């Protein structure tokens, strides 16, 4: 086995120690595997990974002294039942040493997010946080929403709790500072102002309605506001409006008045009062019936940028302080920390977490448990929100569990399904054909496990729903037979968007590869295709039935079917849009975007390029003799 590459700054010494044993849990075999590692394990900071007999990661941990920490796993009588089960499954370990414990903590968080081990507390959050980006790569900077890696040059403000929060703020900022939101390409092509200028949400720098210096002043004001200096911005706008009114420039005064109203709207939309707090992230934990919820508030420049609830998994038998500590290390693995991080309880390794966050941010980050004043009131509010969100989560879980029990009864399943897969096809008269799979379970939709299937087999006729279903299911379950023979991630129920014909086609396709024990159900629209609630459910034994139009379980099954439909159509649109932008020149080897553009600019169309002589190709600007020969040979040597 090999360790994955960690951050470049880690001075890593890597070693892999493997002892293969039986597949079944065996406490003695697990302890023997760990003791074998201890023989050469250094007493240095680092990270260890425990693997089962198949090589899957069971647990990722960090230590100040690896030898001392790993030794604890051989003293099984002192371990809780949860860790005893983990040791019994352990057959090998991977060790990575680091320079210090703070680096080990950061690497631990990265590896947990990569491998998602069964015995670690996991932060289940598939979406990255949105930021506001004020770009710095143009004379007239653009303001926009941004997700993902922060590679674009500019100022990033966030994180915001949701896309809705950032969109609301962006809309108000456009009214307040009149900064452009269009792309550089759109900006360069304008010869008259767009609609945003007409509705007073842009200053139209694209057509010279504002000069560079005045626009730079708007950008400076926006930076001040986003940095928390809203009072200064408000005073400046007020003074400018007063001066315009005194000069009887009422049109300018009205524009400034509208900008002041936008500022007032932003200030009034804050759900909590965070004056004087500056930049802070606030976290509070609530626990009930074995379920843990964590509420996060994001305060930047004294402004509330939203809050979000998290419900980490694999928290059974784990102390609450350890859950919060693990959550924070994973949360900040990608999100930049605020200058203050407030939590509602003391963390045993709080100083270590503070060191890791400061190192990651390149500045001092303070971790604290406020006891009084405005910060304590904010923390109490986060605590109340955490408890209320947890109550809602438990109520939803109860309803979901009841629905899954009804699904099990409806389709004669032995237990409520833990994994439901729903399949659909999408195409337009055979073009852009693809299949789609969505996954649902007790916790809702598992969007990270959705899959798209482009039709690859020659025998699959584009537009043939039966043939597309056949290929999709054979590929999905043939791979499952190879990669998951123990059926740890196989579906308990499969829903197919279609009637008896689709169901029979899928059943025959699975029988060809030796899969005969998956519960398949076809969901057809019924005799009146436009009427919701008249769906017909087709079972493998030939039965078919309809449910009462007001049955909650019917609404649940419709929601599953509709999600598969939505995902399939969305994937098909993406594929169609990509195909519309494709060019026959894409097939020519060695022709990149720049040369393709040069050829099209010179000849006008791809068809003209295809019919051009070798001499004409050589005359095209930016095209060498070798490239001209390649293009000519591609079209004329077939």
């Amino acid at each position: 086995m090999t360790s994955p590459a960690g951050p470049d700054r880690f001075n890593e010494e890597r070693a892999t120690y493997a002892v293969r044993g039986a597949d079944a849990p065996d406490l003695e075999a697990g302890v023997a595997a760990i003791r074998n590692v201890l023989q050469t394990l250094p007493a240095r900071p680092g990270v260890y990974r425990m693997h089962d007999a198949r090589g899957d990661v069971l647990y990722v941990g960090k230590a100040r002294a690896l030898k001392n920490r790993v030794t604890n796993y051989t003293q099984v009588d002192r371990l809780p039942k949860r860790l005893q089960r983990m040791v019994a499954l352990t057959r090998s370990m991977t060790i990575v040493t680091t320079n210090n414990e703070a680096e080990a903590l950061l690497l631990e968080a990265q590896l947990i997010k990569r491998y998602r081990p069964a015995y670690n507390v996991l932060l289940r959050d598939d979406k990255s946080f949105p930021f506001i980006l004020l770009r710095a790569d143009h004379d007239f900077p653009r303001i926009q929403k941004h997700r993902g890696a922060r590679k674009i040059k500019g100022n990033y403000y966030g994180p915001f709790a949701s896309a809705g929060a950032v969109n609301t703020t962006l809309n108000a900022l456009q009214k307040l500072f009149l900064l452009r939101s269009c792309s550089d390409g759109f900006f360069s092509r304008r010869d008259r102002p767009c609609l945003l200028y007409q509705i007073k949400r842009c200053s139209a720098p694209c057509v010279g309605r504002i000069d560079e210096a005045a626009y730079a002043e708007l950008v400076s004001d926006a930076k001040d506001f986003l940095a928390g200096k809203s009072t200064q911005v408000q005073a400046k706008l007020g003074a400018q409006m007063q001066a315009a009114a005194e000069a009887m420039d009422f049109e300018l005064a009205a524009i400034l008045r509208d900008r002041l109203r936008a500022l007032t709207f932003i200030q009034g939309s804050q759900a909590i009062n965070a004056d004087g707090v500056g930049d802070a992230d606030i976290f509070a934990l609530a626990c009930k019936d074995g379920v843990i919820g964590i509420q996060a508030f994001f305060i930047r420049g004294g402004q509330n940028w939203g809050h979000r609830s998290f419900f980490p998994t694999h928290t059974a038998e784990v102390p609450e302080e350890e859950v919060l500590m693990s959550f924070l290390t994973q949360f900040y693995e990608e999100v930049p920390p605020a200058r203050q991080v407030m939590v509602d309880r003391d963390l045993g390794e709080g100083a270590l977490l503070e060191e890791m966050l400061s190192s990651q941010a390149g500045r001092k980050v303070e971790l604290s448990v406020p006891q009084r004043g405005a910060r304590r009131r904010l923390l109490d509010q986060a605590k109340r929100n955490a408890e209320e969100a947890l109550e809602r989560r438990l109520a939803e879980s109860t309803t979901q569990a009841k629905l899954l029990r009804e699904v099990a009864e409806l389709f004669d399943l032995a237990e409520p399904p833990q994994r439901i897969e729903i399949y659909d096809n999408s195409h337009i008269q055979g073009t852009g054909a693809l299949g789609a799979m969505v996954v649902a379970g007790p916790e809702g939709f598992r969007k990270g496990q959705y899959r798209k299937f482009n039709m690859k087999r020659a025998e699959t006729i584009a537009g043939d729903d039966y043939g597309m279903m056949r290929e999709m299911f054979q590929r999905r379950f043939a791979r499952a037979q190879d990669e998951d023979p123990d059926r740890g991630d196989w579906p308990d129920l499969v829903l197919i968007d279609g009637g008896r014909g689709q169901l029979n086609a899928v059943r025959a396709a699975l029988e060809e590869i030796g899969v005969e024990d998956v519960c398949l159900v076809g969901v057809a629209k019924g005799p009146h295709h436009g009427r919701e609630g008249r769906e017909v459910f087709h079972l493998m034994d030939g039965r078919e039935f309809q449910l009462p139009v007001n049955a909650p379980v019917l609404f649940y099954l419709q929601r599953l079917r509709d999600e598969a439909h939505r995902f399939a159509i969305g994937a098909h649109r993406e594929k169609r849009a990509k195909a519309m932008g494709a060019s026959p020149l894409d097939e020519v080897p060695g022709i990149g975007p720049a040369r393709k553009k040069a050829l099209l600019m010179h000849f006008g169309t791809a068809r003209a390029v295809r019919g051009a002589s070798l001499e004409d190709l050589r005359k095209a600007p930016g095209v060498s003799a070798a490239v001209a020969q390649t293009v000519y040979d591609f079209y004329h040597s077939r």
Side-chain angles (χ1 to χ4, degrees), residues 103-414:
E103 288 184 356
L105 184 62
L106 178 58
L107 180 58
E108 177 194 41
Q110 293 171 344
L111 295 178
I112 289 173
K113 295 195 79 170
R114 180 184 301 180
Y115 293 110
R116 308 194 68 78
Y119 286 88
N120 282 100
V121 173
L122 298 181
L123 167 58
R124 293 185 63 91
D125 190 50
D126 297 331
K127 288 187 175 180
S128 61
F129 284 88
F131 286 74
I132 285 178
L133 168 60
L134 187 54
R135 301 181 66 142
D137 55 357
H138 197 279
D139 292 337
F140 295 95
R142 171 189 180 191
I143 191 168
Q144 66 183 85
K145 180 172 68 175
H146 179 83
R147 283 188 189 269
R150 298 188 293 167
K151 297 180 180 179
I152 302 172
K153 183 180 179 182
N155 298 92
Y156 292 83
Y157 302 93
F160 286 81
S162 65
V166 77
N167 288 337
T168 300
T169 304
L170 265 179
N171 288 337
L173 287 174
Q174 287 175 331
K175 296 175 184 177
L176 177 55
F177 299 110
L178 308 179
L179 300 181
R180 74 178 183 95
S181 58
C182 59
S183 67
D184 291 349
F186 185 85
F187 180 92
S188 63
R189 294 193 300 268
R190 298 302 299 178
D191 55 10
R192 61 179 179 177
C194 68
L195 181 62
L196 289 178
Y197 174 77
Q198 307 297 336
I199 61 175
K200 298 182 176 61
R201 285 179 53 180
C202 181
S203 53
C206 53
V207 292
R209 296 297 173 92
I210 185 173
D211 60 31
E212 190 173 337
Y215 192 87
E217 186 176 356
L218 293 178
V219 171
S220 178
D221 288 345
K223 289 179 179 178
D224 287 344
F225 176 81
L226 289 167
K229 301 176 182 178
S230 59
T231 304
Q232 294 92 314
V233 175
Q234 189 171 23
K236 180 178 178 180
L237 287 175
Q240 289 176 346
M241 184 180 69
Q242 182 68 25
E246 291 175 356
M248 303 189 72
D249 188 349
F250 299 117
E251 184 177 356
L252 176 59
I255 293 174
L256 292 168
R257 178 204 60 200
D258 292 341
R259 293 177 61 191
L260 271 172
R261 285 178 178 173
L263 175 58
T264 305
F265 170 79
I266 297 177
Q267 293 172 330
S269 64
Q270 306 300 314
I272 60 177
N273 181 12
D275 288 342
V277 174
D279 294 350
D281 294 334
I282 304 167
F283 298 93
L285 181 147
C287 180
K288 184 176 181 181
D289 298 337
V291 181
I292 287 179
I294 297 174
Q295 186 76 194
F297 282 2
F298 305 112
I299 310 297
R300 295 296 184 272
Q303 302 173 36
N304 172 26
W305 283 1
H307 57 91
R308 185 185 289 190
S309 301
F310 300 88
F311 301 94
T313 59
H314 302 176
T315 58
E317 303 179 39
V318 182
E320 293 179 8
E321 292 77 9
E322 185 177 335
V323 171
L324 184 56
M325 179 73 181
S326 183
F327 166 85
L328 290 173
T329 57
Q330 293 178 56
F331 178 83
Y332 283 120
E333 196 270 323
E334 291 183 355
V335 176
R339 294 186 180 276
Q340 301 177 74
V341 176
M342 305 179 196
V343 293
D344 66 340
R345 66 198 66 212
D346 289 316
L347 302 177
E349 296 182 305
L352 177 62
L353 177 61
E354 191 174 72
E355 181 184 351
M356 185 201 87
L357 295 179
S358 298
S359 173
Q360 189 177 5
R363 52 174 166 73
K364 176 64 176 175
V365 174
E366 179 187 356
L367 181 69
S368 63
V369 184
Q371 301 298 322
R372 61 185 65 85
R375 288 167 173 77
R376 184 67 206 185
R377 289 193 293 273
L378 284 173
L379 194 59
D380 290 340
Q381 188 168 356
K383 183 73 173 179
R384 288 195 300 273
N385 276 265
E387 292 169 350
E388 293 168 1
L390 183 59
E391 290 286 352
R392 291 192 296 270
R393 175 80 168 194
L394 291 172
E396 291 170 1
S397 298
T398 301
T399 303
Q400 183 83 349
K402 182 180 179 182
L403 287 171
L404 290 175
R405 287 195 299 270
E406 292 183 15
V407 169
E409 294 174 3
L410 194 65
F411 300 125
D412 299 326
L413 302 177

Side-chain angles (χ1 to χ4, degrees), residues 559-607:
R559 193 160 70 248
L560 297 182
R561 188 270 319 275
D562 292 345
E563 173 66 4
H565 196 55
R566 179 202 66 78
F567 181 63
I569 290 176
H572 169 73
R573 285 174 177 165
E574 289 179 7
K575 185 175 182 179
R576 194 169 74 242
K578 186 176 180 180
M580 289 173 65
S583 166
L585 293 179
D586 294 335
E587 302 174 6
V588 182
I591 299 297
R595 285 171 174 162
K596 182 175 71 173
K597 182 178 180 180
L599 287 167
L600 289 174
M601 290 294 290
H602 183 74
F603 290 99
T605 66
R607 186 174 183 178

